[in-house]
């Protein structure tokens, strides 16, 4: 979920920036619209899901389910050293006592478990088998729907099987899953609609290898992974979730605005798009910065993921200084002694993103992931701005 395949740019560039003074935040127009707030939760984290504050959350996507023998399954195999357990879903469903409107979905795939998608989507019979397993998954665990996170159709991802046929087969797979979920609706005498969503890549490669314009017929909504623009493949530091292009756009990997435009120009309805917000940063060590040239420099390491909860205490402290790129609307931390650079999300950048999504007419936000936040700082920033 958290990673994207992008081309490494190893260039030097000067970029203008302001210091630590907070820029004036945008004034969001008053809006009574109910926005979606989709929280991904990682089943492989050591976290008690019964403690989640769901007062402002509309959907929870549990990560992840796997694909085995062409079927969606709850896999108790370890991720990052922790076993997943179906007991997590019991706890998540229990949260409906606090928020009866809350929807619980399981996300199938992700970066580590997308290897089975291409084969599952290959033929009419394999798609039928997979779709039936998704419906069975929803029924067995009393879910409100299913989320597919194929990383990525017709792209290698984490060394996955992929083929050109993925582009159209993904559409056919979603059609098959939609039909099986609708069959569940019939079984409920039409009392319950079961949700189908996907997580999408933010770059042109993803858009070029899917049929986004056709997917709206089958999806309730989609969640763009608008983060990891500079990431764990890059020995050059940069913004990993900037709203706008920076002052040196030729050195940017992407921007939120560009990612949304790619999706809408491909034909997906803007009012069913959720904007992805990262509750984690990317840290580069051994950055060869010189003077004011902090962005877009070579580094000894790639941009490793680091949760907000693990670095928030370094914001304007412990040798780190917060900088604000007012063109990109993105913050970053710089420690000249340690030569460490952190690209991240904060209350100010979230305010600009919420203002943008309101003006653009998006459905709401998605974030990865709940346990990475510190004392709900980032979640509260998103919720408060959505309510304005």
């Amino acid at each position: 979920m958290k990673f994207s395949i992008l081309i490494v740019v190893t260039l030097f560039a000067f970029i203008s920036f302001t210091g630590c003074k907070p820029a004036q935040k945008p004034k969001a127009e008053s809006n009574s619209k109910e926005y979606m707030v989709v929280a991904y939760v990682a089943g492989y984290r050591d976290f008690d899901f019964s403690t989640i504050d769901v007062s402002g959350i509309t959907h929870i996507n549990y990560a992840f389910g796997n694909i085995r023998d062409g079927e969606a399954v709850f896999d108790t195999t370890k991720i990052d050293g922790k076993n997943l357990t179906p007991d997590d879903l019991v706890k998540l469903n229990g949260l409906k006592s606090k928020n009866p409107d809350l929807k619980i979905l399981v996300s199938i795939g992700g970066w580590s478990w997308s290897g089975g998608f291409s084969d599952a989507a290959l033929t009419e019979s394999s798609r039928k088998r997979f779709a039936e397993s998704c419906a069975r998954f929803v029924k067995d665990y009393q879910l409100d729907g299913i989320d597919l996170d194929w990383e990525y159709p017709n792209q290698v991802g984490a060394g996955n099987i992929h083929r050109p046929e993925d582009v159209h087969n993904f559409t056919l797979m979603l059609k098959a899953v939609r039909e099986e979920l609708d069959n569940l609706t019939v079984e409920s005498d039409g009392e319950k609609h079961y949700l189908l969503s996907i997580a999408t890549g933010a770059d042109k490669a993803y858009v070029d290898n899917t049929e986004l314009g056709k997917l709206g017929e089958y999806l309730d909504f989609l969640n763009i992974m608008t983060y990891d623009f500079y990431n764990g493949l890059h020995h050059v530091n940069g913004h990993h979730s900037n709203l706008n292009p920076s002052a040196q756009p030729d050195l940017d990997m992407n921007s939120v605005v560009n990612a949304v435009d790619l999706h809408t120009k491909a034909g997906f309805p803007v009012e069913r798009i959720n904007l992805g917000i990262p509750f984690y940063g990317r840290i580069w060590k051994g950055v060869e910065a010189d003077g004011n040239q902090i962005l877009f420099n070579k580094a000894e390491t790639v941009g490793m993921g680091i949760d907000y909860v693990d670095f928030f205490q370094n914001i304007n402290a412990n040798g780190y200084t917060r900088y604000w790129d007012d063109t990109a609307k993105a913050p970053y931390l710089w420690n000249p002694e340690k030569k460490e650079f952190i690209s991240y999300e904060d209350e100010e950048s979230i305010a600009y993103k919420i203002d943008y999504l309101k003006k653009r007419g998006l459905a709401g936000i998605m974030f990865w992931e709940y346990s990475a936040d510190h004392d709900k700082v980032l979640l509260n920033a998103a919720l408060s701005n959505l309510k304005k």
Side-chain angles (χ1 to χ4, degrees):
M1 173 69 193
K2 289 169 57 178
F3 307 93
S4 301
I5 299 296
L6 299 169
I7 302 173
V8 179
V9 178
T10 53
L11 300 172
F12 293 91
F14 176 83
I15 181 168
S16 60
F17 60 89
T18 60
C20 303
K21 296 180 181 179
Q24 185 176 357
K25 295 183 181 181
K27 295 181 179 180
E29 297 180 2
S30 177
N31 198 326
S32 60
K33 177 179 176 179
E34 293 294 325
Y35 291 98
M36 294 178 62
V37 178
V38 180
Y40 275 88
V41 299
Y44 50 90
R45 295 291 180 93
D46 187 15
F47 188 80
D48 182 358
F49 294 119
S50 66
T51 65
I52 294 176
D53 181 355
V54 292
S55 56
I57 293 173
T58 62
H59 301 70
I60 290 179
N61 285 359
Y62 180 88
F64 291 103
N66 201 356
I67 302 175
R68 289 192 178 276
D69 299 322
E71 297 186 352
V73 298
F74 196 106
D75 196 333
T76 56
T77 303
K78 290 183 177 180
I79 299 180
D80 290 352
K82 183 181 182 298
N83 292 93
L84 282 74
T85 169
D87 291 341
D88 289 340
L89 300 183
V90 175
K91 290 182 178 180
L92 291 175
N93 274 319
L95 295 172
K96 292 182 178 181
S97 64
K98 302 175 182 178
N99 179 357
D101 295 325
L102 180 68
K103 306 300 182 185
I104 306 297
L105 299 85
V106 165
S107 184
I108 306 297
W111 181 254
S112 298
W113 284 353
S114 284
F117 271 114
S118 186
D119 285 347
L122 187 58
T123 67
E124 183 176 357
S125 61
S126 66
R127 291 189 292 270
K128 175 82 170 168
R129 176 183 173 90
F130 177 77
E132 289 176 342
S133 72
C134 286
R136 187 165 58 249
F137 200 126
V138 167
K139 191 172 182 179
D140 288 349
Y141 294 104
Q142 301 177 18
L143 302 173
D144 297 294
I146 209 84
D147 177 70
L148 300 186
D149 181 14
W150 183 350
E151 302 187 21
Y152 301 95
N154 196 30
Q155 296 185 70
V156 67
N160 302 324
I161 295 172
H162 62 289
R163 41 176 73 89
E165 294 90 337
D166 293 344
V167 177
H168 184 54
N169 286 345
F170 187 33
T171 305
L172 297 177
M173 170 182 272
L174 291 171
K175 179 178 183 291
V177 175
R178 177 74 272 160
E179 290 172 350
E180 293 300 326
L181 293 179
D182 287 346
N183 287 340
L184 290 184
T185 297
V186 173
E187 290 182 17
S188 71
D189 294 326
E191 293 183 1
K192 186 177 179 66
H193 172 74
Y194 291 89
L195 300 170
L196 177 59
S197 66
I198 61 173
T200 66
D203 60 354
K204 189 174 185 297
Y206 183 89
V207 175
D208 287 346
N209 285 286
T210 53
E211 298 174 323
L212 281 175
K214 299 178 181 180
L215 302 190
E217 184 176 348
Y218 312 113
L219 297 175
D220 291 279
F221 56 90
L222 62 75
N223 308 301
I224 308 182
M225 294 183 282
T226 37
Y227 37 72
D228 289 336
F229 300 155
Y230 271 91
N231 58 57
L233 297 177
H234 301 129
H235 276 279
V236 173
N237 68 310
H239 297 306
H240 96 97
S241 187
N242 44 303
L243 174 62
N244 300 318
S246 72
Q248 297 290 329
D250 56 318
L251 297 180
D252 289 323
M253 288 297 174
N254 204 346
S255 71
V256 168
V257 170
N258 180 63
V260 173
D261 285 347
L262 286 171
H263 280 64
T264 57
K265 288 177 182 177
F268 197 87
V270 67
E271 67 274 10
R272 282 190 273 155
I273 292 175
N274 290 320
L275 188 67
I277 295 178
F279 283 12
Y280 66 97
R282 290 279 176 183
I283 182 171
W284 283 262
K285 299 182 179 182
V287 177
E288 298 176 7
D290 180 20
N292 292 335
Q293 189 177 332
I294 299 174
L295 279 163
F296 309 126
N297 291 286
K298 286 185 178 180
E300 293 178 1
T301 70
V302 295
M304 299 171 289
I306 180 171
D307 290 341
Y308 183 79
V309 69
D310 293 327
F311 70 84
F312 75 94
Q313 69 276 5
N314 290 328
I315 298 174
N316 285 330
N318 302 318
Y320 293 85
T321 299
R322 176 192 182 273
Y323 293 92
W324 176 254
D325 183 337
D326 197 47
T327 305
K329 303 303 182 195
Y332 56 92
L333 301 180
W334 170 240
N335 186 319
E337 183 176 347
K338 291 186 175 182
K339 296 185 177 181
E340 292 183 357
F341 172 98
I342 301 176
S343 172
Y344 71 109
E345 196 83 86
D346 69 2
E347 299 100 315
E348 186 171 5
S349 60
I350 286 174
Y352 278 101
K353 287 181 177 178
I354 300 299
D355 184 61
Y356 162 77
L357 78 84
K358 287 182 176 181
K359 292 177 178 177
R360 194 70 171 81
L362 273 65
I365 66 165
M366 167 273 285
F367 63 87
W368 179 278
E369 63 81 41
Y370 186 89
S371 68
D373 202 356
H374 165 68
D375 200 25
K376 297 185 293 184
V377 169
L378 302 181
L379 176 58
N380 286 340
L383 295 178
S384 63
N385 281 282
L386 285 171
K387 292 176 182 177
K388 288 181 180 178

